[in-house]
Amino acid sequence: MLMAMTGGLTGCFSTTRLVLKSEAPTVYQTATVEQMEKDVSDRDAAVKTLNAQVQITATTGGSKEGKLKEYTSFTGYIFVQKPDDLRVIMQLPLIGSRALDMVSTGDTFTLVHASSHGNVWIQGTGKVTTPSKRPSVFLDSLLVPGVDPSEWVTMTESSRVLHQDLHHKTETIEPDYNLTVLKTTGGNILHVQRVILINRVTMLPYQQDIYNDKGEIETQATYDNYQTHGGQQFPAEITIRRPLDEYSLKIDVTKLTLNEAFEADQFVLAIPPGTTVQKLQ
């Protein structure tokens, strides 16, 4: 009845305004939640080891501080050996000497970084109470983990705006899938672990939101400029944002090798005898 009444009204009772006309790609793919879960898990399982040369740029600050500070880019190396081995080495600009070296084996990590007073050594466990200090945050963002058998998944459709042309009054949109990974916390309560946003044109993840126990986005990673390495698609540009801590890392992958074996001592960082080591709890 309302629609009939509205259609009978004259132009004196309505206002027309122009909005941007959406333009979507003519070809994009369709999949079930089962297919997307398998695709994410298969992509993760296909990568056993990772050896990457990178440029890392850090940014700190945000709305809480009212300012942003971007640091000079570091040349670095990232080594991953599943399930839990991680090593990150960063070199000082121009000088080329070691600025940071960190080894994590999942349960524990050791880190040494340069300072004006010499090298500072730090050790901690995977249960460090400050989330930003845990290497697992870095590892979980660098790669998109598959879905564990103990987790649940659901999927919804969405879209994102890629470009707006105000002159022609158009905007380019992209259809996406949002794959939500959940885990039971007791009873009938489900906790959102992460949401993987997938481009339906390429069927590749372009963003991953990781949530903490309070339901807040703890880490947000974006993936751009995919390249083929050893038959696998891997992003050449990765940005890891920590909105609660107000810092981010932009990782530009300049060289990448997948699934090659490492030396036995690749994930060993020996502490010199007599060295004072800070312990993180």
Side-chain angles (χ1 to χ4, degrees), residues 183-201:
K183 201 164 189 175
T184 57
T185 58
N188 62 346
I189 305 300
L190 284 171
H191 167 63
V192 176
Q193 302 281 95
R194 50 201 173 99
V195 178
I196 306 166
L197 286 74
I198 300 167
N199 179 337
R200 288 181 62 185
V201 176

Side-chain angles (χ1 to χ4, degrees), residues 25-168:
T26 55
V27 179
Y28 54 89
Q29 303 183 58
T30 301
T32 65
V33 62
E34 292 85 1
Q35 290 172 324
M36 292 311 309
E37 176 190 4
K38 184 178 184 302
D39 186 60
V40 168
S41 296
D42 288 349
R43 281 176 44 80
D44 177 51
V47 178
K48 307 297 184 183
T49 68
L50 178 150
N51 181 341
Q53 182 174 334
V54 298
Q55 288 290 126
I56 300 178
T57 305
T59 303
T60 61
S63 58
K64 295 177 184 176
E65 293 188 19
K67 60 181 179 180
L68 287 173
K69 184 177 182 180
E70 183 173 301
Y71 294 84
T72 302
S73 295
F74 287 81
T75 297
Y77 301 88
I78 300 175
F79 308 100
V80 174
Q81 180 173 262
K82 290 183 177 178
D84 298 312
D85 292 338
L86 169 70
R87 186 165 193 171
V88 178
I89 300 173
M90 291 195 293
Q91 297 176 330
L92 291 170
L94 302 178
I95 302 175
S97 60
R98 182 177 61 176
L100 177 145
D101 193 346
M102 182 198 69
V103 168
S104 170
T105 57
D107 294 331
T108 62
F109 71 89
T110 302
L111 181 152
V112 57
H113 68 84
S115 74
S116 58
H117 304 292
N119 289 335
V120 177
W121 289 81
I122 300 172
Q123 278 191 325
T125 71
K127 296 182 179 180
V128 173
T129 54
T130 305
S132 61
K133 301 292 185 182
R134 292 201 300 262
S136 61
V137 171
F138 192 91
L139 183 57
D140 290 344
S141 304
L142 185 67
L143 303 172
V144 179
V147 179
D148 188 85
S150 65
E151 296 175 324
W152 301 76
V153 294
T154 184
M155 189 172 75
T156 56
E157 295 184 14
S158 66
S159 63
R160 61 170 173 162
V161 177
L162 297 180
H163 175 71
Q164 289 186 333
D165 187 339
L166 299 180
H167 177 71
H168 293 95

